[in-house]
Every structure is written in C-alpha cells, then in structure tokens.
Amino acid sequence: MKKENKLVADLTSFDSNVLAEFIASLYGADTFLDSKIERLLLSKDTDKLTKLMKKEIASLKRSQGYIGYYESADFSNKISELHYEIENNILPKWPDKAFKLIEALLDTAENSLERCDDSNGDIGDAYQNICLLWLKAASMSSAPKSGWTNAVKLLAQDNDYGILDPLLPNAHMLLSEDELRQLAAYYENGLRASLTNKYDCRADFRWSVNLKGVAEALKDPTMYQQAMLLVSPSPNYIQMEDMAKFCIGCGAYDQAMKWLEGDWGTAQWDKPNATRLSLLADCYLGLNQQDKRRITLIELLDISPSYKNFQKILPLVSAGEAGQLRVKFIASVLKQSDSYAKLAPLIQLEEYVQAEEIAIKDIDKLANYSYTTLLSLLKLVPEDRHLIRIILLRCLLDDILTRAKTPAYNYGVDYLRELDQLDTKITTYATLPVHADYMLQVKGKHGRKHSFWSKYNTQ
C-alpha cells in the first residue's frame, strides 16, 4: 500500500497532458488494459459505462476458449475488474441497474468454471466475492414483488460449483432477523421431510448445509447444532470440531466445551485429539481461565510438538519452566518420522546445527517433497544459513527441471543463481557434492532443456 501511495503521489506531480499522452500510447497494446482505459473514460457517464459492462459480461458468457492453470490468475483479475467497476462506478448511482449487471455477471460462473483449470481457486474466489456483492446491491435496490427472502431462496438452490457458499452465511446483509428465521424454518422443514422420505442423502446434505448457513447469519449455535444432529445424531470428530469452532466463533464457549469432552483418539493421517485440545485451550482463553489453558497447552505440545503450539505456552509459564519445555519440545521433535516436522520447528527455534544434520541425512526424503512444502521450508531459513538453503534450493531446482515445468523455469534460474552466489560464501559442503560437481550432475540430466539454459545464461 505504501508503494502504491508513493506511485500516486509521484504521478500527481506530472502535467495532465503528459499523463494523457502516456495512457493513449498504451492503448492497443493489451486487450485487458484497453478495457480498463475504456471503462475509465466512461466512468463519469454511467449509462454508457453500463452498456459497455453489459457487452463485456455477454462476451464472458459466450466465450468458449480453455483457460489453463497459468492463465487463471489473469482471468480472475478480469472478472474482479468487472466487479470493481460495477461496485464503485454504477452501484452508488444506479443500484437497480447495478443489481441486474451483478446477476448477469454471476450467471457467467458456470461457463467460466467449466472451461478453466481453477486449481488455485482464484476464479471461484472471484465469483464468491460477486455473490457477496449481490447481497450488497440487493440491499440497495428495489425489492422484487415476491420479496428478497424468496429471491435468496431461489438463488441458493443452484450452487453446484460452490460459488454461492457465502450467500446464506451473509444473508443478514439483506434480510432482517425475522426473515432469516422464516428462511431457517423453511430449510428445517425441508430437511425433516427429506429425512422422512429417505430418498436422497444428497438432498439431506443440501438442506442441512443451507440451514447451517442461516444459523451462521444469525450466529445461532443451537440452530447450527440442530442442522448437524438431524442428519448425524452421533457426530464424528470432524463434525464435533466444526460445531465447537462455530460456538467459539459466536462466543458460546460453554456450549463449545460440551463438544470437547472426552478423548477424540487418533486417525491414520490426523491427530483429532490435538485438534480437540487446541479448541479447548481457545475456550479457556475466551473464559479467561489461564491456568486451565496452560495445562491444556502443555498436554497439546506432548501429542503435537509444533512450533506454533510451543509459542502459545511461553507467555503462560516462568522462564525456568519455558527452558524445560524447550528441551522436552526439541526431544519430541527429533523423534518425528517426517522430515518437515523435524526441520521446521528446529529452524524456527534457531537450532541450526541440528537442522543442518537432519537436512543432510534426509536429503533424499526432502527431494520427494512437494514444491510448495520445500518453498515453505526455504522461507523459514535465514540467508546466512548457507548449507540448509543450498539443500532446499537444489531440491526445488531439481523438482522444476525433472518435471520440465517450463512456465516455472524463471524461478529455477533464480534458484540456480542463488546457488552460484552461495558457493562463494559457504565454507564447507559437509558430505554434499560441491557446487561444481552438482552443476555437472544437473547438466548431465537436464542439459537438453535449452529454454532453461538460455534463460540462465542471459545475464
């Protein structure tokens, strides 16, 4: 934000004619930028801007081209730009026109999501934001003859892609408490009828989810609980976690604690009891019962030795007890089988010698970690911890080159150049191959990836 404010301040110092000529010179270079310039020029003429927006939304609706993963961010920005123009330049002056535009924009979601790789969720997020704008615009617009409650009910029926997930939890932006409770009664009656018919468990789920959504809008833990228990009279630990979190979010700590009684046990890839203790500690925090919170957090650290859990305890114990807990925590970390579970807390505790030993020992395991996991580890390592950085940078570079991810070659070049720089600073590679030998290995395996090497050799 500071950088943006400085840019605005610098631009205001220019003569308006200079800026106008500069903007004109950009026109025609990029279709996305052209649209922004056209909308800027029409921002004072709401009628013409509305017509332009209708045209762009119609184009979005009928477009058929596939949008790959690496193009999805730009596409979501395009959708967000339309959102911005409607919200800021049309809605304040013409709410009814803005509402119709928002409905039309929301209607493009199915076509957009059907033809894109939205693995990162950017496009879905953009449409969820439009769903929230629908509520805002509706609250400023003329109500339909059948009323807004019915309009919300009809819209919520078509949520196959999850873009309307924010609708009911935020319906208080539009509906009164009485209207929300009428809507809740509709969903509860529908749920009970569906359960009686025993026809379609998916229908049961939809009725329950919608009832939960209204409960969120009302911040009503009893209603939320009812929506869950009607479908699952004996909830599993995931459902109990959901219920406890909702109660905590509503400040209903006593109700939350009812769901946190007893041991939740363990699962193959999960630690349910750690989750239970963490939520229980949150309840004690909300109830200002610090001694019980301290005891609970110590128990949590025993079964889930993470740096985050260790940090939670420190303000609640003496310096002497903190030292004892640190020693015990490190011992627990070193017993972990997962390399990340060992390395991350050791780096955060600045126990770099032990971290380096583990990184060298587990280098083959680290090489099989996902790119994002490796990157998250690298972000924890200070620049002066050369050996750990070298190990992680090599793993990241090998991952990019092995998978031949050409769109990521720029990142790979950055990693290799950092490895070049670290070679001039490091005093010992321990048992690792030195940089020259590593480079021979990389070129031996990936020497034919010419697009990568051309980028690397371009200084």
Side-chain angles (χ1 to χ4, degrees), residues 342-366:
K342 289 185 285 190
L343 279 175
L346 288 174
I347 293 168
Q348 290 167 309
L349 288 170
E350 300 182 4
E351 296 286 345
Y352 299 120
V353 174
Q354 287 180 299
E356 286 174 0
E357 291 174 355
I358 290 169
I360 293 170
K361 180 183 176 183
D362 292 359
I363 189 167
D364 291 335
K365 293 181 181 179
L366 290 170

Side-chain angles (χ1 to χ4, degrees), residues 259-277:
W259 295 100
L260 303 173
E261 297 173 350
D263 195 308
W264 284 1
T266 58
Q268 188 174 4
W269 300 108
D270 201 1
K271 294 181 178 178
N273 207 40
T275 301
R276 181 185 70 84
L277 291 170

